[in-house]
Amino acid sequence: MNAQRPPRVGILGAGQLALMLAEAAPAVGADILCAGQPGDCAEQVAPVLPVDLGNPHEVAEFARHVDLLTVESENIDAHVLHGLPLYPNARAIGTAQDRLLEKHFFLDCGLEVAPFAPVNDLISLHSALREIGLPAILKTRRLGYDGKGQFRLTHADQAAEAWEQLNAPCILEGMVQFDTEVSLIAARNRSGQLAFYPLTENVHREGILRVSRAASHPELQALAEYHLTHLLERLDYIGVLAVEFFVVGSHLLANEMAPRVHNSGHWTIEGSETSQFENHLRAILGLPLGSTKSRPSVMFNCIGSMPPPEVTAAFPSVARHDYGKEPRPGRKVGHLTVPASDTAAIAALVSFFQASGK
Ligand code: AMP
């Protein structure tokens, strides 16, 4: 790295995760350059170069402008990523972008997962249904997010419709009767230093994260940290990693991992001494990790549109993050973070989101 100027971090992607990474960059003295498309929301805070993230030549050309690279999405083809100064590494991203590889990796690391079987056509879907039973979820191995690329089956006679809709390599997963869903966000830096945030309890609707609460679960926290330590070391991982789990009694079943900063960690901007965004940059730049000491917090995702300003302005403790995106049904356009102690604000926001159906 050139000692005369700040390190320059390239982000593959220019959406809200890149935007919040760029907002954290001054705290660590880094410059940010994003690879995306004109109009992407990170443009509000960092330069965005037009780059086709599916084109290895364009990505390699972008890499020449920066000292190191990171991603805001796992859905960049692994062949585009090889040979780049990339944190986390291409193997970690490649594992996380394929649900079948990810499941086998979890099993290899000794984690429990939902029952699953690979599906490549309608015939293998029928045999997977016999093996796994109903209800079950058919999920595309790649490119699924926010409930997209999924079909829930309650009867075997839905098989043809499910396959027609997804029509790509899939896994069939048994439905887990979970008590709650949680995620653990961890950071590992270039010297192997680890940091963990408090477990976050997550509520999804229609496959989209709605609410995250950073809660205190000492026993599950210790178990989740034990698992993530193993995953991070096995992957030789550098950066922030999030793993989502189903909680069943005292068991944690790994659902999926995200090799990047994660929606369930947005509350750390106000709720932790060091946010997940700053710690990701610290980890990849080879800096010591910051303290993850946190206060209990609640985060509400704003889906489709932001709440009118008067809904949040009445509560000074509410931190409003508007990503500056065009409102559109089902789109994440912002989030709100509230300290868990402000029960009046939380009750008002819960009623608002319930009434608006978002
Ligand atoms: P995913 O994209 O795999 O994270 O799925 C989105 C959401 O769908 C999860 O957060 C769960 O709420 C639900 N879901 C996914 N897989 C299962 C499963 N095997 N059993 C029960 N719920 C599931």
Side-chain angles (χ1 to χ4, degrees):
M1 249 173 253
N2 186 335
Q4 303 304 307
R5 59 165 176 79
R8 188 169 298 149
V9 177
I11 304 177
L12 300 178
Q16 67 264 23
L17 300 182
L19 179 145
M20 288 182 270
L21 283 165
E23 285 173 340
V28 296
D31 281 345
I32 299 286
L33 187 63
C34 299
Q37 295 304 322
D40 284 350
C41 71
E43 215 171 46
Q44 298 167 93
V45 291
V48 177
L49 293 187
V51 177
D52 173 0
L53 296 177
N55 181 328
H57 304 294
E58 289 194 25
V59 173
E61 175 56 27
F62 174 75
R64 290 175 359 101
H65 297 280
V66 298
D67 298 306
L68 72 170
L69 287 166
T70 191
V71 293
E72 71 152 9
S73 161
E74 54 277 33
N75 292 328
I76 300 175
D77 241 31
H79 82 276
V80 173
L81 300 175
H82 281 291
L84 299 173
L86 179 68
Y87 302 92
N89 61 55
R91 181 166 65 97
I93 297 169
T95 306
Q97 70 185 205
D98 181 329
R99 289 185 190 273
L100 187 61
L101 295 183
E102 186 179 62
K103 285 272 190 292
H104 284 296
F105 175 65
F106 287 149
L107 288 175
D108 282 351
C109 291
L111 277 81
E112 294 181 75
V113 299
F116 70 96
V119 170
N120 294 308
D121 49 31
L122 187 53
I123 295 173
S124 55
L125 175 55
H126 280 295
S127 58
L129 281 166
R130 281 192 296 276
E131 181 188 334
I132 304 292
L134 288 162
I137 307 193
L138 187 65
K139 300 180 178 178
T140 56
R141 283 174 57 175
R142 297 168 57 87
L143 300 175
Y145 68 99
D146 288 349
K148 297 188 176 73
Q150 301 192 359
F151 192 106
R152 293 178 182 225
L153 291 105
T154 47
H155 296 99
D157 59 13
Q158 291 170 290
E161 184 192 350
W163 181 252
E164 192 181 326
Q165 198 163 314
L166 301 187
N167 201 15
C170 284
I171 59 170
L172 184 74
E173 255 181 57
M175 280 301 248
V176 176
Q177 294 299 315
F178 55 78
D179 303 324
T180 54
E181 291 185 80
V182 295
S183 53
L184 185 68
I185 295 178
R188 181 172 182 268
N189 74 3
R190 291 204 200 179
S191 333
Q193 186 195 357
L194 297 172
F196 300 97
Y197 288 93
L199 272 181
T200 302
E201 231 175 85
N202 303 318
V203 179
H204 294 82
R205 196 152 34 82
E206 290 148 8
I208 305 179
L209 179 66
R210 306 290 163 154
V211 183
S212 287
R213 285 170 196 268
S216 171
H217 291 288
E219 278 169 30
L220 289 180
Q221 179 85 28
L223 180 59
E225 287 187 12
Y226 168 82
H227 286 317
L228 264 86
T229 302
H230 197 49
L231 298 179
L232 289 162
E233 283 169 4
R234 276 281 295 268
L235 290 167
D236 197 14
Y237 194 95
I238 296 170
V240 159
L241 175 77
V243 180
E244 295 182 65
F245 297 97
F246 300 125
V247 180
V248 182
S250 58
H251 293 252
L252 288 177
L253 275 61
N255 177 29
E256 60 180 2
M257 63 180 180
R260 53 172 169 77
V261 287
H262 192 251
N263 194 170
S264 68
H266 290 359
W267 62 270
T268 62
I269 296 173
E270 291 82 17
S272 299
E273 287 186 0
T274 315
S275 75
Q276 63 163 347
F277 302 98
E278 181 177 335
N279 261 340
H280 182 67
L281 294 174
R282 289 183 159 279
I284 67 176
L285 287 164
L287 297 170
L289 299 177
S291 160
T292 53
K293 199 158 168 244
S294 302
R295 66 173 175 198
S297 304
V298 182
M299 186 225 55
F300 296 86
N301 260 345
C302 304
I303 309 295
S305 59
M306 290 300 290
E310 59 275 17
V311 172
T312 47
F315 300 100
S317 74
V318 175
R320 188 179 161 100
H321 293 259
D322 183 340
Y323 308 148
K325 291 159 84 172
E326 278 298 306
R328 192 194 297 156
R331 191 180 206 195
K332 286 180 188 166
V333 296
H335 73 268
L336 312 174
T337 302
V338 198
S341 55
D342 193 344
T343 50
I346 291 168
L349 293 174
V350 167
S351 322
F352 169 79
F353 284 111
Q354 269 171 0
S356 65
K358 293 174 182 163

